[in-house]
Coordinates of all heavy atoms in Angstrom, one line a residue:
Y439 N 49.0 -67.7 45.1 CA 47.6 -67.7 44.6 C 47.5 -67.2 43.2 O 46.8 -67.9 42.3 CB 46.8 -66.8 45.6 CG 45.4 -66.5 45.1 CD1 44.5 -67.5 44.9 CD2 45.1 -65.2 44.7 CE1 43.2 -67.2 44.4 CE2 43.8 -64.8 44.3 CZ 42.9 -65.8 44.1 OH 41.7 -65.5 43.6
H495 N 43.7 -76.6 39.8 CA 42.4 -75.9 40.1 C 42.5 -74.5 39.7 O 41.6 -73.9 39.1 CB 42.1 -76.0 41.6 CG 41.8 -77.4 42.1 ND1 40.6 -77.9 41.9 CD2 42.5 -78.3 42.7 CE1 40.5 -79.1 42.4 NE2 41.7 -79.4 42.9
Y496 N 43.6 -73.9 40.1 CA 43.8 -72.4 39.8 C 44.2 -72.2 38.4 O 43.8 -71.3 37.7 CB 44.7 -71.8 40.9 CG 44.1 -71.8 42.2 CD1 44.1 -73.0 43.0 CD2 43.2 -70.8 42.6 CE1 43.5 -73.0 44.2 CE2 42.5 -70.8 43.8 CZ 42.7 -71.9 44.6 OH 42.0 -72.0 45.8
K497 N 45.2 -73.0 37.9 CA 45.7 -72.8 36.6 C 44.6 -73.1 35.5 O 44.8 -72.6 34.4 CB 46.9 -73.7 36.3 CG 48.2 -73.3 37.2 CD 49.3 -74.2 36.8 CE 50.5 -74.0 37.7 NZ 51.2 -72.7 37.7
N498 N 43.6 -73.9 35.8 CA 42.6 -74.2 34.9 C 41.3 -73.4 35.0 O 40.3 -73.6 34.3 CB 42.2 -75.7 34.9 CG 43.4 -76.6 34.5 OD1 44.3 -76.1 33.9 ND2 43.3 -77.9 34.8
T499 N 41.3 -72.5 36.1 CA 40.0 -71.8 36.3 C 40.4 -70.3 36.3 O 40.7 -69.7 35.2 CB 39.4 -72.2 37.6 OG1 40.3 -72.0 38.7 CG2 39.0 -73.7 37.6
L500 N 40.4 -69.7 37.5 CA 40.6 -68.2 37.6 C 41.8 -67.7 36.9 O 41.9 -66.7 36.3 CB 40.7 -67.8 39.1 CG 39.4 -67.4 39.7 CD1 39.7 -67.3 41.2 CD2 39.0 -66.0 39.2
F501 N 42.9 -68.5 37.0 CA 44.2 -68.1 36.4 C 44.6 -69.0 35.2 O 45.7 -69.5 35.1 CB 45.3 -68.1 37.5 CG 44.9 -67.1 38.6 CD1 44.7 -67.5 39.9 CD2 44.8 -65.7 38.3 CE1 44.3 -66.6 40.9 CE2 44.5 -64.8 39.3 CZ 44.2 -65.2 40.6
D502 N 43.6 -69.3 34.4 CA 43.8 -69.9 33.1 C 44.5 -68.9 32.2 O 43.8 -68.1 31.6 CB 42.5 -70.4 32.5 CG 42.7 -71.2 31.2 OD1 43.8 -71.0 30.5 OD2 41.8 -72.0 30.8
F503 N 45.8 -68.9 32.2 CA 46.5 -67.8 31.5 C 46.2 -67.8 30.0 O 46.0 -66.7 29.4 CB 48.0 -68.0 31.6 CG 48.6 -67.8 33.0 CD1 49.9 -68.2 33.3 CD2 47.8 -67.2 34.0 CE1 50.4 -67.9 34.6 CE2 48.3 -66.9 35.3 CZ 49.6 -67.3 35.6
Y506 N 42.6 -66.2 29.8 CA 42.2 -64.9 30.3 C 43.3 -63.8 30.3 O 43.0 -62.6 30.4 CB 41.8 -65.0 31.8 CG 40.6 -65.9 32.0 CD1 40.6 -67.1 32.8 CD2 39.4 -65.6 31.4 CE1 39.5 -67.9 33.0 CE2 38.2 -66.4 31.6 CZ 38.3 -67.5 32.4 OH 37.2 -68.3 32.5

Side-chain angles (χ1 to χ4, degrees):
Y439 168 65
H495 291 282
Y496 292 88
K497 291 186 191 293
N498 294 343
T499 60
L500 265 169
F501 299 115
D502 181 338
F503 290 168
Y506 298 121

